[in-house]
Amino acid sequence: MADNLLRQTASGEKCMACGSCGMPMEKPDDHALGDVSAAYCRWCTDERGQLLPYERVLRMNADMYVQNQGVTPEAGQRLAAAMLASMPAWKDPARRV
């Protein structure tokens, strides 16, 4: 749970956020394996609840920037890399290989 962040929901309530991508985890289904004590969201983990490799999380987040913000793939990659570098799961550069 140490890797979790707190985020504010649209209704103003605080909820846990994924320690990998920062996504608010408002419902049990948002957490890895539906486990509300999990540090990571269901999108950043595999079927066993283990954190996915950095490159895969980076690619998913870069794609989200492209789709949702209309940036180029190169810009999406840079934005995602900067954002992930601030997350507890990826602060250590050695984990980003």
Side-chain angles (χ1 to χ4, degrees), residues 39-56:
Y40 307 117
C41 73
R42 65 188 232 176
W43 292 277
C44 289
T45 55
D46 64 17
E47 63 281 347
R48 296 179 325 261
Q50 299 298 308
L51 187 61
L52 292 171
Y54 174 77
E55 285 300 321
R56 190 158 165 199

Side-chain angles (χ1 to χ4, degrees), residues 2 10 14 17 22 25 28 36 41 51-52 57 60 65 72 80 88 93-94:
K14 293 198 184 231
M25 298 187 292
V36 297
C41 73
L51 187 61
L52 292 171
V57 175
M60 286 187 308
Y65 277 113
T72 66

Side-chain angles (χ1 to χ4, degrees), residues 47-84:
E47 63 281 347
R48 296 179 325 261
Q50 299 298 308
L51 187 61
L52 292 171
Y54 174 77
E55 285 300 321
R56 190 158 165 199
V57 175
L58 175 65
R59 186 173 50 250
M60 286 187 308
N61 281 274
D63 290 346
M64 291 300 291
Y65 277 113
V66 171
Q67 293 169 8
N68 296 331
Q69 304 211 4
V71 300
T72 66
E74 295 79 17
Q77 184 87 2
R78 285 192 307 276
L79 289 164
M83 183 271 301
L84 291 178

